Amino acid sequence: MATTPDRPGCHALDASLIERLHAVQQRHDYLPRAELHQLAVAMQRPLSDVMGVASFYHLFRLVPPPLHRCVVCRGTSCFVRGAERLEVGLRQSLVAQHGVERGTAGRGRRNS
């Protein structure tokens, strides 16, 4: 069922879809493709509609989040105090010790 701005009730369908996407993401920490497909079938909407909404909003994740995340402040005061050197050192250490590159999840080397 395609939704267009001139079609009555399209905003209610989009709101319901967003709520359901939030519920799926709360369960899994991201939106698994199989769950998106099930949601599309349950709501009688094309998968492209569901994927379009999921990929449009930056709060939805289509891939699992990394096990750990490291963020270095880039504000002016942090820069002045050496944030750039800290970031370079962290990056070198992570690559040398764990093989983790910037922007990667590094999931392959988790110890279970």
Side-chain angles (χ1 to χ4, degrees), residues 70-87 90:
C70 180
V71 179
V72 176
C73 172
R74 294 173 173 257
T76 303
S77 61
C78 295
F79 178 80
V80 170
R81 298 204 58 194
E84 188 174 21
R85 289 187 311 275
L86 174 63
E87 184 177 355
L90 282 170

Side-chain angles (χ1 to χ4, degrees), residues 13 37 40 43 53 55 59 75 78 81 88 90-91 93 98 101 110:
L13 280 174
H37 180 72
M43 294 187 75
V53 172
S55 63
L59 295 175
C78 295
R81 298 204 58 194
V88 169
L90 282 170
R91 185 175 302 132
S93 176
H98 305 287
E101 295 286 340
R110 180 187 345 180

